[in-house]
Amino acid sequence: MKIRTIGRHGREGLRNLNRNGWMTFASVSAVTVTLLLLGVFLILAYNVQLFSQQLESQVEMNVYVKESATRADVLELERQLKSLPELASVTYVSKETGLDQLRDKLAENANLLEGLDQENPLPDKFILKAKDPQTIAAVAQKVQTLPLVDKVNYGKETVEKMFKGINIVRNAGGVFVVGLCFTALFLISNTIKVTIFARRREIEIMKLVGATNWFIRWPFLIEGLLIGVFGALVPTALISFGYQYVLSNYPGFMYFTFAPASLVYSVAAILVSIGALIGMIGSVMSISRFLRI
Amino acid sequence: MIEMHDVWKTYPNGAVALQGVSIRIDKGEFVYVVGPSGAGKSTFIKLMYREERPSKGSIFVNGFNIERLKERKIPLLRRQIGVVFQDFKLLPNKTVKENVAFALEVIEASPKKIKSRVAEVLELVGLGDKANALPNELSGGQQQRVSIARALINNPSVIIADEPTGNLDPDTSWDIMRLFEEINNRGTTIVMATHNKEIVNTLKKRVLAVEGGQIVRDQKRGVYGYEN
């Protein structure tokens, strides 16, 4: 394609936007509403994801060592655990440390433990964290088979319920994002279809005098792209200011801190790209029928 | 130049438009295609610039094998063929000049070439002074001249005209026919579907009569042969 032609396509695209003023306004508004929803949702989804990651990262497993194990056995077991590729961290807690920790937890009731120093009933243990917390059940099974391991405990029931909940939220979020994208695609392609319908005579003549399909498509593609990008501007601005406002007033809840304000840059980039992409796909989709001459 | 061998055309709805048509049109010929409405004239003509595909048989136009022609090669064929319609197919919001230039723009010709070529063909069709008029400011005959200018601008070796005088009064029709004859005298092949008995019987050329999807008559310097 020649440079001159690129200029021509750009001019045509802009002229089309201008010539179909109301339709342009309608499509830009449709994109604006959809992308605003999508943007708000993305911010929510990202924070939920962050929150669930934090939850997940607290999932750990206690591996209790058999009482018969000697000091050397414990070291050997530690070496074996550390060689497992699924594990992110292995922390050794001796029975003495364990007792101290228990004492701290009980605070003023620590006197209940008096006299246990000589006859410590706690076993030595390791605290493990998996690289992917969701695989913890499988890792636990594997660790259980090691010699000298007495018992593995990771709060099976609770953890499984939590993972189930997190996964449902994640999947629902994915479906929702895809659904919103399709809605936007449908809206844009429908609007452009109306404007193309008014210009089908022009397209027909172009085909008859020997224009290639891409020569005809380009102006529509640029038109769609601009509709998408214009449609992304308002949601981007609203979400940027809105999220910063929320952060300055409510930085988080309980021990969870919301994602930092820089998140809005990513969301803005995503919204503009999705707007542009959907605009182009929408226009190419709706023009294809008219190119069959 | 244009050759058809045993060409059949059945539309998806089951209508059979052509049944075993074989013809040969040489370079520089002037051919009328006549016949009752619905006999297959339009299909016959549309096959030549690949608006329709044959269901069976082979068609060669300017060396292009129409039934094997890839979708994206169609523009190359059409740049060698000028098409003129009964309803002119002009863009109402573009001037005469722009309408004609359009056919060169889509093939990415240089602005300089477009300018000189547009002036040349507008002069040829006798509309040199109407370059900046809009189509609806012109008479029917003048509009048809614009569409002929557009068809000519790529210097096509064939002009295909589908009832070009169908919407024009008798005097204007004759003006347009004289223009076609002049174009033909310059060596351009012309294939014209028409219902105009007077023209066919007076300006004698080869006549192909299509009836029931078949060529029933092929006469050199033929006659119209139907009562209007």
Side-chain angles (χ1 to χ4, degrees), chain A residues 122-147:
Chain A
L122 294 174
D124 288 328
K125 70 170 177 181
F126 287 97
I127 298 176
L128 308 184
K129 279 192 179 181
K131 278 187 187 132
D132 176 1
Q134 302 236 7
T135 61
I136 195 126
V139 177
Q141 261 181 4
K142 201 165 169 184
V143 170
Q144 182 75 72
T145 63
L146 294 173

Side-chain angles (χ1 to χ4, degrees), chain A residues 102-116:
Chain A
L102 193 57
R103 209 173 265 134
D104 286 348
K105 229 180 241 172
L106 291 173
E108 64 257 34
N109 296 324
N111 52 357
L112 288 173
L113 303 175
E114 252 171 48
L116 287 183

Side-chain angles (χ1 to χ4, degrees), chain A residues 2-69:
Chain A
K2 296 176 182 173
I3 306 260
R4 183 172 63 240
T5 313
I6 299 175
R8 180 217 172 255
H9 291 328
R11 273 195 309 280
E12 281 289 312
L14 278 173
R15 197 191 300 168
N16 290 345
L17 280 181
N18 192 28
R19 194 158 54 184
N20 306 297
W22 276 105
M23 287 317 290
T24 304
F25 180 73
S27 349
V28 170
S29 319
V31 180
T32 300
V33 172
T34 324
L35 289 184
L36 188 62
L37 271 174
L38 185 64
V40 169
F41 183 77
L42 281 177
I43 296 263
L44 278 177
Y46 186 79
N47 276 295
V48 168
Q49 169 72 6
L50 209 64
F51 179 65
S52 55
Q53 263 174 11
Q54 280 189 14
L55 271 185
E56 277 183 350
S57 69
Q58 286 163 27
V59 171
E60 53 188 31
M61 110 177 81
N62 290 317
V63 175
Y64 300 103
V65 184
K66 279 185 180 146
E67 228 166 321
S68 57

Side-chain angles (χ1 to χ4, degrees), chain A:
Chain A
M1 185 165 36
K2 296 176 182 173
I3 306 260
R4 183 172 63 240
T5 313
I6 299 175
R8 180 217 172 255
H9 291 328
R11 273 195 309 280
E12 281 289 312
L14 278 173
R15 197 191 300 168
N16 290 345
L17 280 181
N18 192 28
R19 194 158 54 184
N20 306 297
W22 276 105
M23 287 317 290
T24 304
F25 180 73
S27 349
V28 170
S29 319
V31 180
T32 300
V33 172
T34 324
L35 289 184
L36 188 62
L37 271 174
L38 185 64
V40 169
F41 183 77
L42 281 177
I43 296 263
L44 278 177
Y46 186 79
N47 276 295
V48 168
Q49 169 72 6
L50 209 64
F51 179 65
S52 55
Q53 263 174 11
Q54 280 189 14
L55 271 185
E56 277 183 350
S57 69
Q58 286 163 27
V59 171
E60 53 188 31
M61 110 177 81
N62 290 317
V63 175
Y64 300 103
V65 184
K66 279 185 180 146
E67 228 166 321
S68 57
T70 63
R71 178 83 194 136
D73 289 340
V74 170
L75 284 175
E76 168 62 15
L77 183 57
E78 182 171 24
R79 201 188 54 73
Q80 281 174 346
L81 287 174
K82 280 190 170 156
S83 69
L84 287 178
E86 297 93 332
L87 291 181
S89 72
V90 177
T91 316
Y92 173 64
V93 181
S94 67
K95 50 174 81 175
E96 293 78 21
T97 321
L99 192 63
D100 286 345
Q101 281 172 355
L102 193 57
R103 209 173 265 134
D104 286 348
K105 229 180 241 172
L106 291 173
E108 64 257 34
N109 296 324
N111 52 357
L112 288 173
L113 303 175
E114 252 171 48
L116 287 183
D117 283 326
Q118 277 73 44
E119 199 119 354
N120 189 344
L122 294 174
D124 288 328
K125 70 170 177 181
F126 287 97
I127 298 176
L128 308 184
K129 279 192 179 181
K131 278 187 187 132
D132 176 1
Q134 302 236 7
T135 61
I136 195 126
V139 177
Q141 261 181 4
K142 201 165 169 184
V143 170
Q144 182 75 72
T145 63
L146 294 173
L148 302 168
V149 168
D150 183 31
K151 217 170 90 185
V152 176
N153 185 0
Y154 64 95
K156 195 163 189 265
E157 303 269 293
T158 326
V159 165
E160 271 169 9
K161 256 186 212 151
M162 184 183 88
F163 284 152
K164 219 172 179 178
I166 288 174
N167 288 339
I168 286 174
V169 171
R170 276 182 191 156
N171 293 339
V175 170
F176 196 70
V177 167
V178 172
L180 278 178
C181 286
F182 270 104
T183 311
L185 192 67
F186 176 76
L187 287 171
I188 295 181
S189 83
N190 235 21
T191 324
I192 291 184
K193 199 175 279 173
V194 174
T195 76
I196 288 176
F197 199 69
R199 282 174 282 167
R200 65 191 189 284
R201 191 181 176 80
E202 194 171 328
I203 294 173
E204 182 192 353
I205 295 169
M206 287 171 98
K207 288 285 298 191
L208 290 175
V209 298
T212 59
N213 284 348
W214 271 108
F215 186 91
I216 299 171
R217 266 187 211 124
W218 269 109
F220 289 101
L221 201 75
I222 291 171
E223 184 183 346
L225 175 103
L226 290 174
I227 287 178
V229 171
F230 288 152
L233 291 182
V234 172
T236 302
L238 280 180
I239 283 166
S240 302
F241 292 119
Y243 191 57
Q244 265 152 17
Y245 176 81
V246 168
L247 278 189
S248 58
N249 288 282
Y250 315 93
F253 66 92
M254 298 197 297
Y255 58 88
F256 175 68
T257 323
F258 288 130
S262 60
L263 171 64
V264 297
Y265 297 121
S266 316
V267 171
I270 291 175
L271 290 186
V272 172
S273 325
I274 288 186
L277 198 71
I278 281 178
M280 290 194 291
I281 297 174
S283 64
V284 169
M285 260 169 48
S286 45
I287 197 177
S288 64
R289 181 158 68 92
F290 297 94
L291 290 176
R292 266 179 243 125
I293 297 172

